[in-house]
Amino acid sequence: MSPKTKEQFEAARQKSIEKITDSAVKLFAEYGYLNVSINQIAKTAGVSQGLMYNYFNSKEALLLYIISSMMEEMGHLMMSFHAITDPFEKFEKIVRATFTLLKEKKEFYATIWPVITQQGVSQQLQEMLRHTFTSLIDVIEVMLKDMNIANPRLEAFRLGAMLDGAALGYLYVFKEEYPLDEMEQLIIQTYKK
Amino acid sequence: MSPKTKEQFEAARQKSIEKITDSAVKLFAEYGYLNVSINQIAKTAGVSQGLMYNYFNSKEALLLYIISSMMEEMGHLMMSFHAITDPFEKFEKIVRATFTLLKEKKEFYATIWPVITQQGVSQQLQEMLRHTFTSLIDVIEVMLKDMNIANPRLEAFRLGAMLDGAALGYLYVFKEEYPLDEMEQLIIQTYKK
Amino acid sequence: MSPKTKEQFEAARQKSIEKITDSAVKLFAEYGYLNVSINQIAKTAGVSQGLMYNYFNSKEALLLYIISSMMEEMGHLMMSFHAITDPFEKFEKIVRATFTLLKEKKEFYATIWPVITQQGVSQQLQEMLRHTFTSLIDVIEVMLKDMNIANPRLEAFRLGAMLDGAALGYLYVFKEEYPLDEMEQLIIQTYKK
Amino acid sequence: MSPKTKEQFEAARQKSIEKITDSAVKLFAEYGYLNVSINQIAKTAGVSQGLMYNYFNSKEALLLYIISSMMEEMGHLMMSFHAITDPFEKFEKIVRATFTLLKEKKEFYATIWPVITQQGVSQQLQEMLRHTFTSLIDVIEVMLKDMNIANPRLEAFRLGAMLDGAALGYLYVFKEEYPLDEMEQLIIQTYKK
DNA sequence: TATGAATGAGTGTTCATTCAT
DNA sequence: GATGAATGAACACTCATTCAT
């Protein structure tokens, strides 16, 4: 007699959004944004093609939403180390967290890297990524300074480069043959003392 | 009206191939493989759309050819340092050459990175890239060993990661604001002794 | 919580129908039937997308209902002059009413013209329009005959053509630059005496 | 051994363009621009869907091309009466030509009217149409002035309105029952003196 | 060898309509 | 009666590829 309650509608919405974004993340990570069609996403999610457009204005808006969520999650992760006062402990935690993320949430990086290296994706996205990376460098710089490392900004860039380079080598080139754990250990020890 | 000689034909073939691949490299580097159409390549090269198919079986075959050439060229570059006997000099030469390449032949990396990070491109390509990178690591490993660096294989991975990571940061994220020269100096001094 | 009475239900029905048709008329007139979506109509009316289908079988049925109402209203307008005995007065009243309608109820014409000129809209609609226009010509013919105009049927067609042509010129081509008032005066004076 | 000659290519192009535009004109006239799909046009023309895009950038560009051609043709027709010095003869010729066009090239008007009355079609098109109509009014005004008709500009609008109104009545409402020939005669005699 | 017209499968996107509640 | 999430067919448009010459 009465329409569905607001809660019911909201639950249905969230369920659908989740199905769509989950499928999209998996597919984007595996095949790359440009190689994945809306059709594929819909089929994988088990919904109709049109449904995506109830929640996202375009395929790119979907990508933007996904990457925003990831960036936000990454931000939260970084925040969670904020309270640690010992810079050496903080450093170790951050590096370990990065490698853990890399091992356990491959789709995280696998979604972002192709987008970064693909020209022709939205300006908005590019700017968001640049902003996030810059913030990260800033955070690392402060930390390295607290560790009395000389030339902390340049070292922050180097640390960033090592982490990114390791991620690329692991995800795209050497895969399971990449000495990920040894690299983790090596990086930590380099700065540790 | 007289029939062309074999040599003339061959010269014409080479000329056409060159026009096509040169245009393709430029366009792939600027817009990315998936965002560039055969039509664009043909127009830029000043030839007909169909001509490409006289020399390459598909768009992907063209990409494969281009990247093969680049990998080969990179191999030649590495070879050219083979004769240097002082490992420290060799090390410095290699690192400097890498950064020079990065600064002066952006299209080199800008073509390769999106392909590496885009799964869904041919298996053949992936394997070729892995092979090349493995060879590079091997070369660096031997060199580091000669420099009496401890754990030379792991350090080779670290050096590779730093170079790749710097390339990505420079090309895609920070661009002209990336401290490329300082990074070059820093890397050399780290191992220089 | 007590069940609504029949009258209350009927009132709610009428209210909803009115909200929907009013929004539809405005939107059809401004953007054209084919350019307006059910979603737009629902949003403008402040109701749900599905509600329209409680009252109309389809989007076209809604259009049919709207145009029927307009035709009926036009018929009423014509009827209202029926009592006037002096044919010259009647003529002037009718012409003035037509121009007033054109100036003050643009959406009236702006809804109907695109439908008339768009073939491919329902046969039913086409027939209804033809019927209404034929009736109008009949009424005018009688009136012109009473005015002792020679060849009253042909003159009725001419008068109809002038009114329609003026409407089109005003609404779609020249807009505010169309000499609407002068045309009104000119038409009246042509037959007035 | 050699590619097709330029003439052969040009001939093929013209043939294809003609097939496409001819089909489009017929379909637009019968069903209206917005009701006709590219698929329909291609099927009717007996070519692939994609071919249209070799010649026109978009569906709207096709419409623009068609209407431009029509407007140009109409302009030529008007020009052809330019040399006539007797304004009465000129007037009769123009009116007769208009009616002949209406009878023999229905698709001419049937293509244009729905576009004029359909909001949401390109601004460019709207402006082109307005420009053409204004020019026509100007030409008629001068002619009527030469005929010593009082208030020639207003009469030009009236004549335009009558012609347009007759066209609409004939094409969309009364069709074969419309007294087209009588109307033609009536209009000529009204001004003929 | 070289041309470019032609194809057709595929793309992202829209929208009238249905239906469980 | 009313809701709005969901559907699926349709749309305009793109593009790698083919082929007659």
Side-chain angles (χ1 to χ4, degrees):
Chain A
M1 268 303 166
S2 65
K4 282 189 185 172
T5 65
K6 274 201 174 145
E7 288 76 20
Q8 283 173 308
F9 278 131
E10 188 54 30
R13 286 180 68 85
Q14 287 313 321
K15 184 125 189 182
S16 288
I17 289 178
E18 206 178 314
K19 278 197 282 185
I20 291 167
T21 52
D22 283 2
S23 305
V25 166
K26 256 177 229 150
L27 291 166
F28 288 169
E30 185 162 1
Y31 304 107
Y33 172 73
L34 287 172
N35 292 303
V36 171
S37 70
I38 296 291
N39 195 353
Q40 271 178 280
I41 297 171
K43 268 190 184 144
T44 305
V47 300
S48 70
Q49 270 204 68
L51 188 58
M52 197 208 85
Y53 292 90
N54 279 17
Y55 302 109
F56 303 99
N57 287 326
S58 65
K59 189 187 173 188
E60 193 167 308
L62 171 62
L63 177 65
L64 201 68
Y65 174 87
I66 286 172
I67 295 195
S68 296
S69 307
M70 288 178 171
M71 294 284 117
E72 213 176 313
E73 203 180 325
M74 209 177 234
H76 286 323
L77 185 65
M78 286 295 150
M79 288 298 195
S80 70
F81 302 122
H82 194 259
I84 303 175
T85 46
D86 177 16
F88 293 95
E89 190 195 336
K90 192 174 178 178
F91 168 79
E92 184 171 346
K93 283 265 165 64
I94 285 179
V95 173
R96 292 213 183 277
T98 304
F99 275 88
T100 303
L101 201 63
L102 185 55
K103 281 179 275 188
E104 295 177 2
K105 281 215 168 186
K106 277 187 197 177
E107 74 273 15
F108 214 93
Y109 293 84
T111 303
I112 292 169
W113 280 122
V115 172
I116 292 182
T117 60
Q118 272 301 333
Q119 298 90 336
V121 195
S122 91
Q123 200 58 29
Q124 203 184 341
L125 208 41
Q126 298 279 350
E127 275 162 26
M128 193 176 70
L129 289 166
R130 196 166 321 172
H131 176 76
T132 305
F133 277 80
T134 309
S135 303
L136 265 168
I137 291 287
D138 290 345
V139 168
I140 296 176
E141 182 187 359
V142 170
M143 190 180 66
L144 294 176
K145 201 173 182 181
D146 290 344
M147 290 162 72
N148 290 319
I149 303 281
N151 209 346
R153 183 145 196 93
L154 188 56
E155 285 290 347
F157 272 105
R158 164 144 75 166
L159 181 55
M162 276 194 298
L163 295 173
D164 290 344
L168 281 159
Y170 169 59
L171 286 173
Y172 299 112
V173 188
F174 300 98
K175 304 193 177 176
E176 290 313 312
E177 295 168 24
Y178 197 88
L180 209 55
D181 295 327
E182 293 89 331
M183 190 66 89
E184 185 178 345
Q185 212 49 36
L186 179 63
I187 291 173
I188 289 170
Q189 274 166 358
T190 305
Y191 296 89
K192 196 53 191 295
K193 188 13 235 313
Chain B
M1 273 303 167
S2 67
K4 285 182 185 168
T5 66
K6 260 191 185 171
E7 288 75 19
Q8 284 174 314
F9 269 125
E10 188 52 29
R13 284 181 65 86
Q14 288 311 322
K15 184 102 189 183
S16 288
I17 289 178
E18 204 178 315
K19 279 196 284 187
I20 290 167
T21 52
D22 282 3
S23 305
V25 167
K26 255 177 228 148
L27 291 166
F28 288 170
E30 184 162 1
Y31 304 108
Y33 170 73
L34 288 170
N35 294 306
V36 171
S37 71
I38 297 290
N39 194 352
Q40 270 179 279
I41 297 171
K43 266 189 187 147
T44 307
V47 301
S48 71
Q49 248 197 97
L51 188 58
M52 196 207 82
Y53 290 88
N54 280 16
Y55 303 108
F56 304 99
N57 287 325
S58 65
K59 191 186 172 188
E60 192 167 308
L62 170 62
L63 178 64
L64 199 69
Y65 174 87
I66 286 172
I67 294 194
S68 297
S69 308
M70 287 178 170
M71 294 286 113
E72 214 175 312
E73 200 179 326
M74 211 176 231
H76 286 323
L77 185 65
M78 286 296 150
M79 289 297 195
S80 70
F81 300 122
H82 195 257
I84 304 175
T85 47
D86 177 15
F88 294 96
E89 191 195 336
K90 193 173 177 179
F91 168 78
E92 183 170 347
K93 283 265 166 64
I94 285 179
V95 173
R96 290 210 185 279
T98 304
F99 276 88
T100 303
L101 201 63
L102 184 55
K103 280 179 276 186
E104 295 178 2
K105 279 214 167 188
K106 279 187 196 177
E107 73 273 15
F108 214 92
Y109 294 85
T111 303
I112 293 168
W113 280 123
V115 172
I116 292 181
T117 59
Q118 281 292 341
Q119 287 96 335
V121 195
S122 87
Q123 200 57 28
Q124 202 183 343
L125 207 42
Q126 297 281 344
E127 275 161 25
M128 191 177 70
L129 289 166
R130 199 167 320 171
H131 176 77
T132 305
F133 277 82
T134 309
S135 304
L136 266 169
I137 291 287
D138 291 345
V139 169
I140 296 176
E141 182 187 358
V142 171
M143 186 180 69
L144 293 177
K145 201 174 184 180
D146 291 345
M147 291 161 73
N148 290 319
I149 303 280
N151 208 345
R153 183 143 194 93
L154 189 56
E155 285 290 346
F157 273 106
R158 164 145 75 167
L159 181 56
M162 277 194 297
L163 295 174
D164 290 344
L168 280 160
Y170 169 60
L171 286 173
Y172 298 111
V173 187
F174 300 98
K175 302 188 178 178
E176 292 313 312
E177 293 168 25
Y178 198 88
L180 208 56
D181 295 326
E182 292 90 331
M183 190 67 87
E184 185 179 346
Q185 210 52 34
L186 180 63
I187 291 173
I188 290 170
Q189 271 164 359
T190 303
Y191 296 88
K192 199 52 187 298
K193 160 61 235 190
Chain C
M1 272 300 167
S2 66
K4 285 182 184 168
T5 66
K6 263 191 181 168
E7 287 75 21
Q8 283 173 315
F9 269 125
E10 188 53 30
R13 286 180 65 87
Q14 287 312 320
K15 185 98 188 187
S16 287
I17 290 178
E18 203 178 316
K19 279 197 283 187
I20 290 166
T21 52
D22 282 2
S23 304
V25 166
K26 256 178 227 148
L27 291 166
F28 288 170
E30 185 162 359
Y31 305 107
Y33 170 73
L34 288 171
N35 294 307
V36 170
S37 71
I38 297 289
N39 194 351
Q40 270 179 281
I41 296 170
K43 266 189 187 144
T44 308
V47 300
S48 71
Q49 247 197 102
L51 188 58
M52 196 207 82
Y53 290 88
N54 281 14
Y55 303 108
F56 304 99
N57 287 325
S58 65
K59 190 185 173 191
E60 193 167 309
L62 171 62
L63 177 66
L64 199 69
Y65 174 86
I66 286 171
I67 295 195
S68 296
S69 307
M70 286 177 170
M71 294 286 114
E72 214 175 312
E73 200 179 328
M74 211 175 231
H76 287 325
L77 184 66
M78 285 298 151
M79 288 298 194
S80 71
F81 301 122
H82 194 257
I84 303 174
T85 46
D86 178 16
F88 292 96
E89 191 196 333
K90 193 174 176 178
F91 167 80
E92 184 169 346
K93 283 265 164 66
I94 285 178
V95 173
R96 291 211 184 278
T98 304
F99 275 89
T100 303
L101 200 64
L102 184 55
K103 279 178 278 187
E104 295 177 1
K105 280 215 166 186
K106 278 187 194 178
E107 73 272 15
F108 214 93
Y109 293 85
T111 304
I112 293 169
W113 279 123
V115 173
I116 292 180
T117 60
Q118 281 290 343
Q119 287 96 334
V121 195
S122 88
Q123 199 59 30
Q124 203 182 343
L125 207 42
Q126 297 281 346
E127 274 161 25
M128 193 178 69
L129 289 165
R130 198 168 319 172
H131 175 77
T132 306
F133 277 81
T134 309
S135 304
L136 265 169
I137 292 287
D138 290 346
V139 168
I140 296 176
E141 181 187 358
V142 170
M143 187 181 68
L144 292 176
K145 199 174 184 181
D146 290 345
M147 290 163 73
N148 289 318
I149 303 281
N151 209 345
R153 183 146 194 91
L154 188 57
E155 285 291 345
F157 274 105
R158 162 142 77 167
L159 181 55
M162 277 194 298
L163 295 174
D164 290 345
L168 281 160
Y170 169 60
L171 286 173
Y172 298 110
V173 188
F174 300 98
K175 302 189 178 177
E176 291 313 312
E177 293 168 25
Y178 197 88
L180 208 56
D181 296 326
E182 293 89 330
M183 190 67 88
E184 184 178 347
Q185 211 52 33
L186 180 64
I187 290 173
I188 290 170
Q189 272 164 357
T190 305
Y191 295 88
K192 196 53 191 291
K193 191 8 234 316
Chain D
M1 268 302 168
S2 65
K4 282 188 185 174
T5 65
K6 275 202 173 146
E7 288 75 21
Q8 282 172 309
F9 278 131
E10 188 53 30
R13 286 181 67 84
Q14 286 313 321
K15 184 123 187 183
S16 288
I17 289 179
E18 206 178 313
K19 278 198 283 186
I20 290 166
T21 51
D22 282 2
S23 305
V25 166
K26 256 177 228 148
L27 290 166
F28 287 170
E30 186 163 359
Y31 304 108
Y33 171 74
L34 287 172
N35 292 304
V36 172
S37 71
I38 296 290
N39 195 355
Q40 272 178 281
I41 297 171
K43 269 190 184 142
T44 306
V47 299
S48 69
Q49 269 203 68
L51 187 58
M52 196 208 84
Y53 292 90
N54 280 15
Y55 302 109
F56 303 99
N57 287 326
S58 65
K59 190 186 172 191
E60 193 167 308
L62 171 62
L63 177 65
L64 201 68
Y65 174 86
I66 286 172
I67 294 195
S68 294
S69 306
M70 286 177 171
M71 294 284 116
E72 212 175 313
E73 202 179 324
M74 210 176 232
H76 286 324
L77 185 66
M78 285 296 149
M79 288 297 195
S80 70
F81 302 123
H82 193 258
I84 303 174
T85 46
D86 177 15
F88 293 96
E89 192 196 333
K90 193 175 178 177
F91 168 79
E92 184 170 345
K93 284 263 166 65
I94 285 179
V95 173
R96 290 209 185 280
T98 304
F99 276 88
T100 303
L101 201 64
L102 185 56
K103 278 178 278 186
E104 295 178 1
K105 283 214 167 187
K106 278 186 197 178
E107 72 274 13
F108 214 94
Y109 293 86
T111 302
I112 293 168
W113 280 121
V115 172
I116 292 181
T117 60
Q118 273 298 336
Q119 299 90 335
V121 194
S122 90
Q123 200 58 30
Q124 202 183 344
L125 207 41
Q126 298 280 350
E127 274 162 25
M128 193 177 70
L129 289 166
R130 199 168 319 174
H131 175 77
T132 305
F133 276 82
T134 309
S135 302
L136 265 169
I137 291 287
D138 290 345
V139 168
I140 295 176
E141 181 187 358
V142 170
M143 188 180 67
L144 293 176
K145 200 174 184 180
D146 290 344
M147 290 161 73
N148 289 318
I149 303 280
N151 208 345
R153 183 144 195 93
L154 188 56
E155 285 290 345
F157 273 105
R158 164 144 75 167
L159 181 55
M162 277 194 298
L163 295 173
D164 290 345
L168 281 159
Y170 169 59
L171 286 172
Y172 299 110
V173 188
F174 300 98
K175 304 195 175 172
E176 291 313 313
E177 293 168 24
Y178 197 89
L180 208 56
D181 295 326
E182 292 90 329
M183 190 68 87
E184 184 177 348
Q185 210 52 35
L186 180 64
I187 291 174
I188 290 170
Q189 271 163 358
T190 304
Y191 295 88
K192 198 54 190 291
K193 155 77 224 164

